[in-house]
Amino acid sequence: PSNTNVQYDNFGGLLSSNTKRVELLKGSQSALRGSNAVAGVLTIDTLGMSDADNTSTQYVDISYGSKNTLAASYSYLNRINALTTSFSISHYETDGISSASTLNTNYPTNDKNSEQDSFTQDRVAFGAEYKLNDAVSFGANVFKEKSKAEFDEYFYTSDWTDERVGPIDGTPDDYGTRDALGYRIFTQVQTKNWTHDINYTSYNLDRFSTSPSVAPESASGAYTSEFTGKRQTINYMATG
């Protein structure tokens, strides 16, 4: 069987701003992506430099909904002769819900189990591509993303027989942060029958989670957790 690809680990914070297309491939088509993709491939295309014409283009998207949820994004694309540039910025915030009162319906919903868990996220990205001639182009992309999310504690008994097992609000000081920085340098060479793509990518992630005080019935004690990761890849793909 194929292995699950976990190179992307933040679907919970994936927002729809600047998204152009979402495509799900299932079956034999996905084998084009390699042996680990036989179960399927999810492709998410964002507004990018290929969408720019010979003038500047701007996109603005603002929405507001329940739980004081606000999503706002701005994108700018510009092409001048051989040079294409792109810029985007987005912000998302919500008061959120209490997963304890939503998921653990057996635990009494009271002042202890109705605290909303908020979420905020900010992202900025920039890209540039220069077309040297009809056959060769090169460019770079960079993005910075920062988010913060509150979360609930977990209730259980030693024998796990209590029907109230599940998330509880506990104390209101549990939260996690996530800071990500990524960039890509690429070149594309078009020959008679083939398109050659060479990419170098770097991804840096800092993750922090803390629960400095907990309710007596919480499954875990107070804790603070930090994680730092870095991934660098060089990729070559030829299509024709």
Side-chain angles (χ1 to χ4, degrees), residues 30-231:
S30 62
L32 295 172
R33 299 291 182 176
S35 59
N36 284 339
V38 294
V41 173
L42 176 65
T43 302
I44 301 175
D45 292 332
T46 57
L47 295 170
M49 291 177 285
S50 61
D51 298 290
D53 52 26
N54 289 323
T55 61
S56 61
T57 305
Q58 301 181 70
Y59 300 89
V60 178
D61 184 15
I62 300 176
S63 61
Y64 182 83
S66 59
K67 311 296 182 182
N68 289 323
T69 301
L70 172 67
S73 64
Y74 169 77
S75 301
Y76 176 79
L77 301 173
N78 186 52
R79 175 175 292 173
I80 302 177
N81 299 323
L83 177 64
T84 304
T85 57
S86 66
F87 170 79
S88 66
I89 187 170
S90 63
H91 173 77
Y92 182 90
E93 63 178 65
T94 180
D95 289 345
I97 62 171
S98 170
S99 61
S101 63
T102 302
L103 299 177
N104 192 0
T105 56
N106 291 318
Y107 199 98
T109 301
N110 48 36
D111 291 340
K112 199 175 191 177
N113 220 38
S114 59
E115 174 208 358
Q116 293 177 310
D117 298 314
S118 64
F119 174 77
T120 60
Q121 178 173 289
D122 294 290
R123 178 185 173 96
V124 62
F126 175 79
E129 180 178 9
Y130 185 78
K131 195 171 182 64
L132 192 63
N133 51 47
D134 290 339
V136 180
S137 62
F138 58 89
N141 303 91
V142 62
F143 79 89
K144 174 71 174 177
E145 184 178 278
K146 186 173 184 178
S147 63
K148 179 181 179 181
E150 297 177 343
F151 60 88
D152 290 318
E153 298 171 18
Y154 203 86
F155 168 81
Y156 83 110
T157 56
S158 57
D159 57 4
W160 292 89
T161 58
D162 195 311
E163 64 178 5
R164 297 175 298 169
V165 167
I168 61 172
D169 278 337
T171 55
D173 54 4
D174 313 302
Y175 72 92
T177 62
R178 187 178 187 278
D179 296 332
L181 172 66
Y183 61 87
R184 177 177 72 114
I185 302 172
F186 63 91
T187 184
Q188 184 179 88
V189 179
Q190 181 73 50
T191 58
K192 183 177 181 181
N193 297 315
W194 294 87
T195 300
H196 306 269
D197 291 287
I198 303 173
N199 297 273
Y200 167 77
T201 61
S202 177
Y203 181 72
N204 302 273
L205 175 65
D206 292 308
R207 214 162 47 205
F208 174 82
S209 179
T210 184
S211 183
S213 63
V214 296
E217 62 269 40
S218 179
S220 63
Y223 73 91
T224 295
S225 173
E226 295 184 64
F227 170 82
T228 299
K230 185 174 183 179
R231 182 176 69 243

